[in-house]
C-alpha cells in the first residue's frame, strides 16, 4: 500500500504530501480504506483544515471530517508535529507568529517602562499611620 497509496500517487507523492503538510500545518492526515479482511487497500489524503482530532472522555481518539463523518484512529494516518496535548500538532507558522507577537509586546512594554525613567508608579494607602517596625517590614518586603 505504501508503494502505491492510490491510483494516482506514488510512494514519493505520499511522503512529499505527508512531510509538506506536517511541516506547514503541524498535522497531516491520510485516510486508510480497507477490504473485508481489514487489509489496507488505498489512502486518501486530507487537507489538515478538513480534519479535526477529537479525544473523548474515555481517552479514545477519533477524527471528524469536514463532511461530518467520524473515523476511528485505526482508519487514519496522522503525522503530528510539536504537540502540547498529545493528539494534535501545532502549526510551526502559528507558533512562530505567537512568539513574534510576544516579542513585540515585551519590546513595547520595555520601551514604555524605560521612557518613564524606569520607575514603577503607584501609591499605598493605609487607614492609619504605620508603626516604624511595620513600615520597615513593608519597605523590606517591597524591595525584596
Amino acid at each position: 500500500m505504501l508503494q502505491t497509496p492510490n491510483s494516482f500517487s506514488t510512494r514519493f507523492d505520499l511522503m512529499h504530501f505527508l512531510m509538506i503538510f506536517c511541516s506547514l500545518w503541524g498535522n497531516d492526515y491520510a485516510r486508510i480504506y480497507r477490504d473485508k479482511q481489514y487489509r489496507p487497500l488505498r489512502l486518501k489524503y486530507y487537507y489538515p483544515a478538513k480534519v479535526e482530532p477529537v479525544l473523548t472522555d474515555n481517552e479514545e481518539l477519533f477524527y471528524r471530517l469536514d463532511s461530518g463523518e467520524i473515523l476511528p484512529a485505526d482508519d487514519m494516518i496522522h503525522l503530528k508535529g510539536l504537540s502540547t496535548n498529545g493528539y494534535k500538532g501545532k502549526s510551526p507558522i502559528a507558533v512562530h507568529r505567537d512568539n513574534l507577537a510576544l516579542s513585540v509586546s515585551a519590546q513595547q512594554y520595555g520601551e514604555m517602562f524605560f521612557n518613564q525613567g524606569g520607575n514603577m508608579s503607584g501609591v499605598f494607602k493605609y487607614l492609619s499611620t504605620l508603626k516604624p517596625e511595620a513600615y520597615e517590614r513593608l519597605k523590606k518586603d517591597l524591595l525584596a
Side-chain angles (χ1 to χ4, degrees), residues 126 128-137:
Y126 188 68
S128 64
T129 305
L130 284 176
K131 295 181 181 174
E133 40 302 330
Y135 173 76
E136 290 301 321
R137 189 172 55 241

PDB file of all heavy atoms in Angstrom, residues 126 128-137:
ATOM      1  N   TYR A 126      -3.130  53.564  53.612  1.00  0.00           N
ATOM      2  CA  TYR A 126      -3.437  52.811  54.822  1.00  0.00           C
ATOM      3  C   TYR A 126      -4.286  53.714  55.699  1.00  0.00           C
ATOM      4  O   TYR A 126      -4.049  54.928  55.768  1.00  0.00           O
ATOM      5  CB  TYR A 126      -2.129  52.401  55.523  1.00  0.00           C
ATOM      6  CG  TYR A 126      -2.329  51.453  56.674  1.00  0.00           C
ATOM      7  CD1 TYR A 126      -2.762  50.159  56.460  1.00  0.00           C
ATOM      8  CD2 TYR A 126      -2.085  51.867  57.974  1.00  0.00           C
ATOM      9  CE1 TYR A 126      -2.950  49.285  57.512  1.00  0.00           C
ATOM     10  CE2 TYR A 126      -2.270  51.004  59.038  1.00  0.00           C
ATOM     11  CZ  TYR A 126      -2.702  49.707  58.800  1.00  0.00           C
ATOM     12  OH  TYR A 126      -2.893  48.841  59.842  1.00  0.00           O
ATOM     13  N   SER A 128      -4.567  54.257  58.827  1.00  0.00           N
ATOM     14  CA  SER A 128      -3.915  54.997  59.914  1.00  0.00           C
ATOM     15  C   SER A 128      -2.413  55.037  59.641  1.00  0.00           C
ATOM     16  O   SER A 128      -1.949  54.637  58.580  1.00  0.00           O
ATOM     17  CB  SER A 128      -4.215  54.331  61.261  1.00  0.00           C
ATOM     18  OG  SER A 128      -3.661  53.030  61.288  1.00  0.00           O
ATOM     19  N   THR A 129      -1.644  55.515  60.612  1.00  0.00           N
ATOM     20  CA  THR A 129      -0.199  55.613  60.461  1.00  0.00           C
ATOM     21  C   THR A 129       0.449  54.273  60.787  1.00  0.00           C
ATOM     22  O   THR A 129       0.080  53.611  61.761  1.00  0.00           O
ATOM     23  CB  THR A 129       0.347  56.690  61.416  1.00  0.00           C
ATOM     24  OG1 THR A 129      -0.346  57.913  61.161  1.00  0.00           O
ATOM     25  CG2 THR A 129       1.827  56.910  61.201  1.00  0.00           C
ATOM     26  N   LEU A 130       1.437  53.896  59.952  1.00  0.00           N
ATOM     27  CA  LEU A 130       2.168  52.662  60.220  1.00  0.00           C
ATOM     28  C   LEU A 130       3.187  52.898  61.332  1.00  0.00           C
ATOM     29  O   LEU A 130       3.832  53.942  61.383  1.00  0.00           O
ATOM     30  CB  LEU A 130       2.912  52.194  58.966  1.00  0.00           C
ATOM     31  CG  LEU A 130       2.098  51.546  57.857  1.00  0.00           C
ATOM     32  CD1 LEU A 130       2.996  51.247  56.660  1.00  0.00           C
ATOM     33  CD2 LEU A 130       1.456  50.266  58.328  1.00  0.00           C
ATOM     34  N   LYS A 131       3.331  51.909  62.191  1.00  0.00           N
ATOM     35  CA  LYS A 131       4.381  51.971  63.204  1.00  0.00           C
ATOM     36  C   LYS A 131       5.726  51.808  62.493  1.00  0.00           C
ATOM     37  O   LYS A 131       5.793  51.214  61.419  1.00  0.00           O
ATOM     38  CB  LYS A 131       4.182  50.872  64.235  1.00  0.00           C
ATOM     39  CG  LYS A 131       2.901  51.058  65.030  1.00  0.00           C
ATOM     40  CD  LYS A 131       2.764  49.963  66.057  1.00  0.00           C
ATOM     41  CE  LYS A 131       1.456  50.178  66.812  1.00  0.00           C
ATOM     42  NZ  LYS A 131       1.159  49.104  67.715  1.00  0.00           N
ATOM     43  N   PRO A 132       6.809  52.313  63.073  1.00  0.00           N
ATOM     44  CA  PRO A 132       8.116  52.240  62.404  1.00  0.00           C
ATOM     45  C   PRO A 132       8.523  50.816  62.011  1.00  0.00           C
ATOM     46  O   PRO A 132       9.052  50.599  60.924  1.00  0.00           O
ATOM     47  CB  PRO A 132       9.077  52.835  63.436  1.00  0.00           C
ATOM     48  CG  PRO A 132       8.226  53.717  64.280  1.00  0.00           C
ATOM     49  CD  PRO A 132       6.875  53.083  64.311  1.00  0.00           C
ATOM     50  N   GLU A 133       8.266  49.828  62.887  1.00  0.00           N
ATOM     51  CA  GLU A 133       8.663  48.461  62.524  1.00  0.00           C
ATOM     52  C   GLU A 133       7.804  47.916  61.380  1.00  0.00           C
ATOM     53  O   GLU A 133       8.296  47.198  60.508  1.00  0.00           O
ATOM     54  CB  GLU A 133       8.698  47.506  63.693  1.00  0.00           C
ATOM     55  CG  GLU A 133       7.724  47.439  64.804  1.00  0.00           C
ATOM     56  CD  GLU A 133       7.416  48.611  65.702  1.00  0.00           C
ATOM     57  OE1 GLU A 133       8.221  49.506  65.980  1.00  0.00           O
ATOM     58  OE2 GLU A 133       6.284  48.591  66.142  1.00  0.00           O
ATOM     59  N   ALA A 134       6.528  48.266  61.319  1.00  0.00           N
ATOM     60  CA  ALA A 134       5.661  47.828  60.220  1.00  0.00           C
ATOM     61  C   ALA A 134       6.088  48.490  58.917  1.00  0.00           C
ATOM     62  O   ALA A 134       6.108  47.864  57.856  1.00  0.00           O
ATOM     63  CB  ALA A 134       4.202  48.144  60.529  1.00  0.00           C
ATOM     64  N   TYR A 135       6.469  49.771  59.003  1.00  0.00           N
ATOM     65  CA  TYR A 135       6.948  50.486  57.827  1.00  0.00           C
ATOM     66  C   TYR A 135       8.225  49.843  57.293  1.00  0.00           C
ATOM     67  O   TYR A 135       8.368  49.626  56.084  1.00  0.00           O
ATOM     68  CB  TYR A 135       7.177  51.963  58.160  1.00  0.00           C
ATOM     69  CG  TYR A 135       7.831  52.723  57.035  1.00  0.00           C
ATOM     70  CD1 TYR A 135       7.093  53.100  55.916  1.00  0.00           C
ATOM     71  CD2 TYR A 135       9.181  53.047  57.081  1.00  0.00           C
ATOM     72  CE1 TYR A 135       7.698  53.780  54.870  1.00  0.00           C
ATOM     73  CE2 TYR A 135       9.792  53.722  56.044  1.00  0.00           C
ATOM     74  CZ  TYR A 135       9.041  54.086  54.939  1.00  0.00           C
ATOM     75  OH  TYR A 135       9.643  54.744  53.902  1.00  0.00           O
ATOM     76  N   GLU A 136       9.156  49.545  58.161  1.00  0.00           N
ATOM     77  CA  GLU A 136      10.414  48.908  57.746  1.00  0.00           C
ATOM     78  C   GLU A 136      10.171  47.535  57.130  1.00  0.00           C
ATOM     79  O   GLU A 136      10.806  47.154  56.158  1.00  0.00           O
ATOM     80  CB  GLU A 136      11.395  48.820  58.926  1.00  0.00           C
ATOM     81  CG  GLU A 136      11.956  50.159  59.351  1.00  0.00           C
ATOM     82  CD  GLU A 136      12.691  50.878  58.240  1.00  0.00           C
ATOM     83  OE1 GLU A 136      13.413  50.222  57.462  1.00  0.00           O
ATOM     84  OE2 GLU A 136      12.527  52.114  58.135  1.00  0.00           O
ATOM     85  N   ARG A 137       9.246  46.771  57.729  1.00  0.00           N
ATOM     86  CA  ARG A 137       8.923  45.438  57.196  1.00  0.00           C
ATOM     87  C   ARG A 137       8.304  45.559  55.799  1.00  0.00           C
ATOM     88  O   ARG A 137       8.667  44.821  54.883  1.00  0.00           O
ATOM     89  CB  ARG A 137       7.976  44.719  58.168  1.00  0.00           C
ATOM     90  CG  ARG A 137       7.771  43.256  57.815  1.00  0.00           C
ATOM     91  CD  ARG A 137       6.988  42.482  58.860  1.00  0.00           C
ATOM     92  NE  ARG A 137       5.708  43.080  59.157  1.00  0.00           N
ATOM     93  CZ  ARG A 137       5.341  43.531  60.364  1.00  0.00           C
ATOM     94  NH1 ARG A 137       6.163  43.455  61.380  1.00  0.00           N
ATOM     95  NH2 ARG A 137       4.158  44.075  60.552  1.00  0.00           N
TER      96      ARG A 137
END
